[in-house]
């Protein structure tokens, strides 16, 4: 799924790109590949993105990291993965492909990084903007807000793994999953903005 989605996005932007080995690294000619040192630096679940001269390279220390790198690049260009069959694909054909070098990794390692890769469950076929969100009730919004505060408090306490109860809470609703996935990656993210964009 991620490869076809990535190809679909690049075709919309008329970008050129090289082949991707989803085992962990790019294979290309006349284009820099990532070193083992770079991949060790980002660690499990982490990735490196390099955009240079109209080509995009994404590699992860493992398969999940590569997936997360592709998702991150797409989201940084306006794509949104909310829940299965609900994605947003912007039309950026007039935009430029800017140079970029970005190493990144999840704050919470282990099981939580799996939650951060939710887009692997998505079906990229269909319209550019899928069906609108089902209205979340006040309880779901309050639950997602409380979950966000719990994850942020874990990070403030220096924890890099969340207890099972927090993961279970994250699975209660699409809104909670969306919010938790992004906060497990970066707990400094504005939770109110995440909730607001999910509900739009």
């Amino acid at each position: 799924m991620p490869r076809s989605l990535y190809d679909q996005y690049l075709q919309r932007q008329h970008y050129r790109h090289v082949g991707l080995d989803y085992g962990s690294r790019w294979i290309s000619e006349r284009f820099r590949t990532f070193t083992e040192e770079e991949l060790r630096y980002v660690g499990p679940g982490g990735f490196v993105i390099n955009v240079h001269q109209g080509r995009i390279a994404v590699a992860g220390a493992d398969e999940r990291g590569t997936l997360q790198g592709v998702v991150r690049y797409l989201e940084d260009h306006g794509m949104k993965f909310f829940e299965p069959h609900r994605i947003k694909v912007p039309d950026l054909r007039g935009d430029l492909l800017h140079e970029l070098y970005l190493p990144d990794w999840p704050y919470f390692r282990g099981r939580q990084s799996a939650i951060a890769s939710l887009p692997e469950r998505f079906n990229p076929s269909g319209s550019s903007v899928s069906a609108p969100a089902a209205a979340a009730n006040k309880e779901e919004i309050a639950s997602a807000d409380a979950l966000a505060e719990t994850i942020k408090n874990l990070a403030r306490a220096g924890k890099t793994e969340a207890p099972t109860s927090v993961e279970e809470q994250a699975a209660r609703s699409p809104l909670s999953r969306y919010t938790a996935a992004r906060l497990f990656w970066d707990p400094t993210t504005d939770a109110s903005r995440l909730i607001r964009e999910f509900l739009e």
Side-chain angles (χ1 to χ4, degrees):
M1 184 306 268
R3 177 164 188 157
S4 62
L5 181 58
Y6 181 67
D7 289 343
Q8 177 191 25
Y9 179 81
L10 290 177
Q11 287 168 7
R12 285 174 60 85
Q13 315 314 322
H14 303 291
Y15 292 159
R16 295 179 61 196
H17 63 292
V18 293
L20 181 60
D21 171 7
Y22 274 83
S24 70
R25 62 172 52 253
W26 281 83
I27 300 175
S28 63
E29 296 180 2
R30 295 173 299 179
F31 189 72
R32 75 176 293 277
T33 56
F34 299 103
T35 65
E36 294 295 334
E37 182 179 1
E38 288 173 293
L39 298 179
R40 280 196 303 271
Y41 180 77
V42 297
F47 60 80
V48 186
I49 300 174
N50 182 44
V51 183
H52 181 62
Q53 295 183 348
R55 296 193 177 192
I56 305 165
V58 181
D62 50 29
E63 185 174 348
R64 192 170 298 285
T66 304
L67 168 63
Q68 191 61 42
V70 172
V71 170
R72 170 66 175 276
Y73 186 81
L74 295 176
E75 288 193 329
D76 283 354
H77 285 75
M79 200 161 194
K80 297 296 180 186
F81 301 89
F82 296 112
E83 53 186 317
H85 306 292
R86 183 176 168 240
I87 61 175
K88 177 182 177 182
V89 183
D91 186 350
L92 300 176
R93 283 175 286 189
D95 284 16
L96 298 175
L97 184 61
H98 298 286
E99 302 284 301
L100 172 70
Y101 178 77
L102 174 66
D104 203 4
W105 55 90
Y107 180 87
F108 288 90
R109 302 280 187 172
R111 295 186 306 273
Q112 292 79 29
S113 66
I115 297 177
S117 296
L118 286 173
E120 64 187 336
R121 304 177 186 175
F122 289 39
N123 182 350
S125 62
S127 59
S128 297
V129 179
S130 56
N137 60 44
K138 291 181 180 179
E139 290 181 4
E140 289 175 337
I141 295 172
S143 178
D145 194 46
L147 172 63
E149 190 60 27
T150 297
I151 295 172
K152 287 177 176 290
N153 285 337
L154 288 169
R156 291 184 189 111
K159 306 292 185 182
T160 56
E161 287 193 19
T164 304
S165 59
V166 174
E167 295 178 41
E168 292 172 349
Q169 187 179 354
R172 288 180 183 171
S173 72
L175 174 58
S176 290
R177 283 195 299 272
Y178 179 78
T179 305
R182 280 131 191 89
L183 292 176
F184 281 141
W185 187 271
D186 179 5
T188 66
T189 303
D190 184 349
S192 61
R193 178 183 61 80
L194 293 174
I195 293 172
R196 188 167 57 251
E197 72 183 11
F198 183 91
L199 297 174
E200 287 176 351

